[in-house]
Amino acid sequence: MRLLIVGGGGREHALAWKLRQSPEVGEIFCAPGNAGTAGLGENVAIPPNDNAGLRRFAQENRIDLTVVGPDDPLAAGLVDDFKAENLRVFGPTKSAARLESSKVFAKQIMRCSGVPTAMAGVFDDTKKACRFVEKLRYPIVIKADGLAAGKGVIIAPDAESARAAIYEMIEHRRFGEAGARVLIEEFLEGWECSLHAFVDGDRYQLLGTACDHKRLRDQDEGPNTGGMGAYSPAAAWTCDLEKQFDEKIMRSLLRGLNDEKLHFTGLLFPGLMIKDGVARVLEFNCRFGDPETQVILPRLKGDLLAIMQQTIDGQVGAMKIETDPRPAVTVVMASAGYPEKFETGKKISGLADCAKMENVHIFHAGTRRNNGDVLTNGGRVLSVTALGDSLGEARALAYEAVSKIDFEGCYYRRDIALAALPANVAGKDVPSRS
Ligand code: AMP
Ligand code: GLY
């Protein structure tokens, strides 16, 4: 089979790496890919938002299956365009992907189907929104309705910052039309957990749990990023939470979607907030997470291609997903200045050394090849994953690999998975650079 993977981050490298292992897979094309995916197949210079270009490529190159990585192409109807041409594709249609591309839509579905989530009001009028926030208890959360490159959520500690955020979004269109409508939401406390599930409309199968570290700096300080590291499984996930996830979240959601005549096919990634053993939904993503994929896929036993095919064919009920019990940890190595301004084109050293390490996977994100060198080419540069017999071992091995890699301005968090370790090993610091 000939595959096309849309996207060029660490998630897409991990998808290409896992799909490469399937005996059915022949050639893999990645649009636009990175230096990592170039080692597994062929990169093609088509941006993920070029629907017509991607469709033409798939037709001209007899692609058997296209896998969509990022959220934007899903929201822009790439899956619908492919289906209209009878091209096989993994991912939800534009209308089903509204679960991610419209936070207002997701909230309405959750409300109607009884999925536990934060209380929220919806506003497109600055004055009404400002009047509403006068009466609330702080902090509160203000969210742009649409996709805003992961930046559209603002946690306001008081009424003044809430008003400023509302003005910036509705009045000044800081996030463009994505912020023309806002949700003003109750702040939920607790710990966050990323769930990944294959969904075929009526049924779902859990692929795995993971915890992401979204803030830039250690101890969850600094601005939000796409994700600075992750581990899987979520250490505090329990059978009782899984039961809640099944009964209160997934079954209710799928019923609610079906009531709306929406058939979701693909990978659904609900982000949950858990407090005192009760799970509530923060958001739905309609695609694999980044960097969650880089810890979930190395733990997946078996054939990802077969699982994707069964999902498309509505056979999720018959599917068997087996995972490696060993935990995985990934540390994101980023360019200085990320998530704001950063430089690119810096030479990366140490990759060959790491390639020899057992149980270590280096997933490329913002990288490109240049005359035999690998150069930085984005904010998040590499996702360094390790598996271990315990979370502590996986973490130590990931940081050992990180210590071998260098590039000018390299930045990474030193506390990925640290808080999840048992107290007796949590005191150990990460290895220093060799
Ligand atoms: P979202 O894009 O909705 O996941 O929001 C991004 C991040 O903002 C989440 O991962 C949470 O850390 C935080 N967040 C979103 N909604 C809430 C909420 N209602 N209460 C507390 N934190 C939230
Ligand atoms: N790591 C969070 C996301 O992929 O949205």
Side-chain angles (χ1 to χ4, degrees), residues 140-154:
I140 59 166
V141 186
I142 306 191
K143 298 183 173 184
D145 175 35
L147 295 177
K151 294 182 179 167
V153 175
I154 291 174

PDB file of all heavy atoms in Angstrom, residues 140-154:
ATOM      1  N   ILE A 140     -11.275  32.663  35.964  1.00  0.00           N
ATOM      2  CA  ILE A 140     -12.189  32.108  34.960  1.00  0.00           C
ATOM      3  C   ILE A 140     -11.392  31.867  33.672  1.00  0.00           C
ATOM      4  O   ILE A 140     -10.248  32.328  33.559  1.00  0.00           O
ATOM      5  CB  ILE A 140     -13.396  33.034  34.659  1.00  0.00           C
ATOM      6  CG1 ILE A 140     -12.909  34.393  34.146  1.00  0.00           C
ATOM      7  CG2 ILE A 140     -14.309  33.159  35.852  1.00  0.00           C
ATOM      8  CD1 ILE A 140     -14.018  35.211  33.531  1.00  0.00           C
ATOM      9  N   VAL A 141     -12.003  31.152  32.746  1.00  0.00           N
ATOM     10  CA  VAL A 141     -11.294  30.800  31.519  1.00  0.00           C
ATOM     11  C   VAL A 141     -12.036  31.396  30.336  1.00  0.00           C
ATOM     12  O   VAL A 141     -13.261  31.263  30.235  1.00  0.00           O
ATOM     13  CB  VAL A 141     -11.211  29.258  31.371  1.00  0.00           C
ATOM     14  CG1 VAL A 141     -10.354  28.880  30.179  1.00  0.00           C
ATOM     15  CG2 VAL A 141     -10.653  28.629  32.641  1.00  0.00           C
ATOM     16  N   ILE A 142     -11.290  32.089  29.468  1.00  0.00           N
ATOM     17  CA  ILE A 142     -11.899  32.685  28.283  1.00  0.00           C
ATOM     18  C   ILE A 142     -11.313  31.994  27.058  1.00  0.00           C
ATOM     19  O   ILE A 142     -10.088  31.893  26.924  1.00  0.00           O
ATOM     20  CB  ILE A 142     -11.623  34.203  28.259  1.00  0.00           C
ATOM     21  CG1 ILE A 142     -12.115  34.736  29.601  1.00  0.00           C
ATOM     22  CG2 ILE A 142     -12.294  34.863  27.053  1.00  0.00           C
ATOM     23  CD1 ILE A 142     -12.213  36.166  29.759  1.00  0.00           C
ATOM     24  N   LYS A 143     -12.193  31.487  26.215  1.00  0.00           N
ATOM     25  CA  LYS A 143     -11.727  30.677  25.084  1.00  0.00           C
ATOM     26  C   LYS A 143     -12.275  31.211  23.776  1.00  0.00           C
ATOM     27  O   LYS A 143     -13.492  31.420  23.656  1.00  0.00           O
ATOM     28  CB  LYS A 143     -12.226  29.225  25.218  1.00  0.00           C
ATOM     29  CG  LYS A 143     -11.713  28.500  26.437  1.00  0.00           C
ATOM     30  CD  LYS A 143     -12.193  27.055  26.436  1.00  0.00           C
ATOM     31  CE  LYS A 143     -11.525  26.293  27.563  1.00  0.00           C
ATOM     32  NZ  LYS A 143     -11.869  24.869  27.575  1.00  0.00           N
ATOM     33  N   ALA A 144     -11.395  31.372  22.813  1.00  0.00           N
ATOM     34  CA  ALA A 144     -11.847  31.666  21.451  1.00  0.00           C
ATOM     35  C   ALA A 144     -12.593  30.440  20.944  1.00  0.00           C
ATOM     36  O   ALA A 144     -12.165  29.300  21.195  1.00  0.00           O
ATOM     37  CB  ALA A 144     -10.659  31.976  20.559  1.00  0.00           C
ATOM     38  N   ASP A 145     -13.686  30.657  20.229  1.00  0.00           N
ATOM     39  CA  ASP A 145     -14.484  29.533  19.725  1.00  0.00           C
ATOM     40  C   ASP A 145     -13.691  28.648  18.761  1.00  0.00           C
ATOM     41  O   ASP A 145     -13.710  27.430  18.853  1.00  0.00           O
ATOM     42  CB  ASP A 145     -15.737  30.101  19.019  1.00  0.00           C
ATOM     43  CG  ASP A 145     -16.573  29.025  18.354  1.00  0.00           C
ATOM     44  OD1 ASP A 145     -16.636  27.908  18.912  1.00  0.00           O
ATOM     45  OD2 ASP A 145     -17.166  29.305  17.300  1.00  0.00           O
ATOM     46  N   GLY A 146     -12.966  29.280  17.849  1.00  0.00           N
ATOM     47  CA  GLY A 146     -12.337  28.529  16.751  1.00  0.00           C
ATOM     48  C   GLY A 146     -10.901  28.140  17.033  1.00  0.00           C
ATOM     49  O   GLY A 146     -10.381  28.340  18.132  1.00  0.00           O
ATOM     50  N   LEU A 147     -10.242  27.578  16.014  1.00  0.00           N
ATOM     51  CA  LEU A 147      -8.849  27.146  16.154  1.00  0.00           C
ATOM     52  C   LEU A 147      -7.942  28.375  16.198  1.00  0.00           C
ATOM     53  O   LEU A 147      -8.074  29.270  15.374  1.00  0.00           O
ATOM     54  CB  LEU A 147      -8.444  26.266  14.975  1.00  0.00           C
ATOM     55  CG  LEU A 147      -9.170  24.927  14.847  1.00  0.00           C
ATOM     56  CD1 LEU A 147      -8.707  24.190  13.591  1.00  0.00           C
ATOM     57  CD2 LEU A 147      -8.947  24.058  16.079  1.00  0.00           C
ATOM     58  N   ALA A 148      -7.040  28.391  17.167  1.00  0.00           N
ATOM     59  CA  ALA A 148      -6.158  29.550  17.317  1.00  0.00           C
ATOM     60  C   ALA A 148      -4.733  29.093  17.619  1.00  0.00           C
ATOM     61  O   ALA A 148      -4.054  29.649  18.470  1.00  0.00           O
ATOM     62  CB  ALA A 148      -6.684  30.470  18.424  1.00  0.00           C
ATOM     63  N   ALA A 149      -4.304  28.055  16.909  1.00  0.00           N
ATOM     64  CA  ALA A 149      -2.935  27.526  17.028  1.00  0.00           C
ATOM     65  C   ALA A 149      -2.561  27.257  18.487  1.00  0.00           C
ATOM     66  O   ALA A 149      -1.434  27.509  18.910  1.00  0.00           O
ATOM     67  CB  ALA A 149      -1.935  28.478  16.378  1.00  0.00           C
ATOM     68  N   GLY A 150      -3.510  26.772  19.264  1.00  0.00           N
ATOM     69  CA  GLY A 150      -3.242  26.420  20.660  1.00  0.00           C
ATOM     70  C   GLY A 150      -3.126  27.610  21.598  1.00  0.00           C
ATOM     71  O   GLY A 150      -2.793  27.458  22.769  1.00  0.00           O
ATOM     72  N   LYS A 151      -3.416  28.826  21.089  1.00  0.00           N
ATOM     73  CA  LYS A 151      -3.217  30.013  21.928  1.00  0.00           C
ATOM     74  C   LYS A 151      -4.520  30.644  22.384  1.00  0.00           C
ATOM     75  O   LYS A 151      -4.506  31.656  23.080  1.00  0.00           O
ATOM     76  CB  LYS A 151      -2.416  31.060  21.147  1.00  0.00           C
ATOM     77  CG  LYS A 151      -1.000  30.611  20.848  1.00  0.00           C
ATOM     78  CD  LYS A 151      -0.239  31.700  20.124  1.00  0.00           C
ATOM     79  CE  LYS A 151       1.183  31.238  19.855  1.00  0.00           C
ATOM     80  NZ  LYS A 151       1.866  32.099  18.902  1.00  0.00           N
ATOM     81  N   GLY A 152      -5.650  30.081  21.974  1.00  0.00           N
ATOM     82  CA  GLY A 152      -6.929  30.757  22.184  1.00  0.00           C
ATOM     83  C   GLY A 152      -7.575  30.567  23.542  1.00  0.00           C
ATOM     84  O   GLY A 152      -8.756  30.848  23.701  1.00  0.00           O
ATOM     85  N   VAL A 153      -6.812  30.074  24.529  1.00  0.00           N
ATOM     86  CA  VAL A 153      -7.378  29.896  25.878  1.00  0.00           C
ATOM     87  C   VAL A 153      -6.642  30.809  26.849  1.00  0.00           C
ATOM     88  O   VAL A 153      -5.419  30.731  26.969  1.00  0.00           O
ATOM     89  CB  VAL A 153      -7.242  28.425  26.334  1.00  0.00           C
ATOM     90  CG1 VAL A 153      -7.715  28.263  27.774  1.00  0.00           C
ATOM     91  CG2 VAL A 153      -8.046  27.508  25.419  1.00  0.00           C
ATOM     92  N   ILE A 154      -7.393  31.670  27.520  1.00  0.00           N
ATOM     93  CA  ILE A 154      -6.759  32.587  28.468  1.00  0.00           C
ATOM     94  C   ILE A 154      -7.366  32.372  29.847  1.00  0.00           C
ATOM     95  O   ILE A 154      -8.592  32.364  30.003  1.00  0.00           O
ATOM     96  CB  ILE A 154      -6.922  34.050  28.001  1.00  0.00           C
ATOM     97  CG1 ILE A 154      -6.061  34.242  26.747  1.00  0.00           C
ATOM     98  CG2 ILE A 154      -6.523  35.039  29.098  1.00  0.00           C
ATOM     99  CD1 ILE A 154      -6.191  35.555  26.072  1.00  0.00           C
TER     100      ILE A 154
END
